[in-house]
Amino acid sequence: MPTVTVRPAIEADCPTILRFVRELAEFENEPHAVKASEADFRRDGWGERPVFEALIAELDGEPVGFALCFRNYSTWEGRAGLFVEDLYVTPEARRYGVGRKLLATVAKLADERGCRRVDLNVLHWNPARDFYLRIGFKQMEEWLPYRLTGDAIAALAAQADEA
């Protein structure tokens, strides 16, 4: 059985992270949606004010997956949480418990930091939904995600200084 290890990503992992993000976008039928670059990841993960952290999963020393997360805050809990923005494992490594090990490591970080929640989003058609349920995640039926992007951000921002 191959050995699965999970380690914190380092700046030199930016090309690998970008590759995994592109593979994830391909899997999610959005291959042209990725606008991020290695420079973006360097700036936002290892720059002056990091806004995310990443974990790299390796199978016998070779990168086969990653998790990228950032802190959020629950006013109800009065504590920080972690939001898993991306979780990806290469298809050939999916049968070795890599995803479980990545999420267990995220949970360990959350526990060590006193976080009360770990959140993530999953596309409705993604077969990984069963995996998330098996390891203890609960689907939030009553909370619906909303998003503001592009021109809509600019249009709403323009209203900020109106009388």
Side-chain angles (χ1 to χ4, degrees):
M1 183 76 160
T3 302
V4 177
T5 56
V6 173
R7 61 172 175 79
I10 59 173
E11 189 173 351
D13 290 315
C14 287
T16 300
I17 292 169
L18 182 57
R19 176 173 58 94
F20 287 153
V21 167
R22 287 180 175 150
E23 289 177 20
L24 177 59
E26 183 77 33
F27 171 77
E28 292 181 343
N29 301 312
E30 295 283 344
H32 303 294
V34 178
K35 296 174 183 69
S37 68
E38 290 178 29
D40 294 327
F41 292 134
R42 281 189 188 89
R43 178 194 65 228
D44 294 334
W46 291 271
E48 186 177 317
R49 300 180 99 188
V51 295
F52 74 82
E53 60 189 299
L55 300 168
I56 299 292
E58 297 176 336
L59 199 59
D60 289 339
E62 291 299 314
V64 294
F66 86 118
L68 187 143
C69 58
F70 53 87
R71 287 174 49 122
N72 57 16
Y73 189 81
S74 169
T75 56
W76 289 8
E77 295 285 346
R79 294 284 189 276
L82 287 178
F83 184 85
V84 179
E85 176 68 18
D86 285 334
L87 176 73
Y88 177 73
V89 176
T90 60
E92 61 275 4
R94 290 183 186 154
R95 63 185 174 273
Y96 297 109
V98 176
R100 177 182 292 270
K101 185 106 173 191
L102 278 164
L103 286 174
T105 304
V106 169
K108 182 178 179 184
L109 291 173
D111 187 53
E112 290 171 351
R113 296 172 185 177
C115 296
R116 297 243 174 105
R117 313 201 271 217
V118 174
D119 296 306
L120 54 78
N121 292 326
V122 184
L123 289 168
H124 66 91
W125 55 260
N126 190 332
R129 290 174 63 195
D130 291 335
F131 161 70
Y132 295 125
L133 291 170
R134 279 195 312 274
I135 65 171
F137 280 86
K138 305 284 185 235
Q139 182 181 353
M140 308 266 304
E141 299 280 343
E142 65 278 7
W143 293 91
L144 301 175
Y146 283 75
R147 181 171 290 156
L148 193 65
T149 62
D151 292 341
I153 292 174
L156 187 57
Q159 299 173 30
D161 295 326
E162 291 179 2

